[in-house]
Amino acid sequence: MNIRVRNYHIDSYGHVNHARYLEFLEEARWAFFDRHGLSSLLENVHLVVALIDIRYRRAAVDGNELRILSHIKELTARHLHLMQTIELVHSGKTAVEAGITLMPVKAASGRSIRFPDNLLTSLEAFTT
């Protein structure tokens, strides 16, 4: 997924604010699920962020185009570990690297659950 940096993404230091990158990563995660037909399997399941490990490598500024790459690194019955990279399109250099751990939660109760079998099977097809 690509995102163009707009002036409202910029903080007083003249680059994308660290919190904005979290929004970019979240948008890319949902795009990943949509693109692979997984969103429809989340009707009664919320994917909750349990852990984020994020490394800021280079600043992005107004007008930069960013490419966000997402892939599933590890999958268990109760956790999904997703790796995401934000690249500066003009240089191909990495701006951000992030590891995100998601866990399934039952929408009705808010309690942690195992991935439903159909969702787990579908996610396994994308595990590297």
Side-chain angles (χ1 to χ4, degrees):
M1 169 182 154
N2 285 11
I3 292 178
R4 173 144 330 261
V5 175
R6 306 290 182 192
N7 68 347
Y8 66 91
H9 297 138
I10 304 302
D11 62 18
S12 62
Y13 295 109
H15 56 71
V16 174
N17 182 275
H18 67 281
R20 281 289 182 181
Y21 285 115
L22 296 173
E23 293 174 358
F24 295 165
L25 293 169
E26 183 173 26
E27 180 62 30
R29 285 194 299 278
W30 284 105
F32 175 87
F33 282 98
D34 288 346
R35 184 173 50 255
H36 296 297
L38 300 168
S39 296
S40 63
L41 302 176
L42 297 171
E43 289 178 9
N44 298 312
V45 177
H46 293 162
L47 290 181
V48 175
V49 173
L51 175 70
I52 293 180
D53 177 23
I54 189 165
R55 315 255 172 175
Y56 301 98
R57 303 289 186 196
R58 284 179 182 75
V61 298
D62 190 15
N64 282 161
E65 185 171 357
L66 306 177
R67 178 175 298 118
I68 306 172
L69 308 167
S70 305
H71 72 277
I72 297 172
K73 182 177 180 182
E74 184 181 357
L75 176 66
T76 70
R78 298 183 77 88
H79 292 93
L80 166 67
H81 187 70
L82 191 67
M83 297 302 299
Q84 293 186 279
T85 304
I86 300 178
E87 296 178 348
L88 300 166
V89 171
H90 71 279
S91 68
K93 294 187 177 184
T94 299
V96 171
E97 296 171 318
I100 292 92
T101 301
L102 303 168
M103 57 185 243
V105 170
K106 189 171 188 171
S109 68
R111 296 184 59 113
S112 173
I113 59 171
R114 296 171 59 88
F115 281 105
D117 290 337
N118 61 339
L119 180 56
L120 186 63
T121 299
S122 295
L123 289 168
E124 286 172 342
F126 299 100
T127 305
T128 58

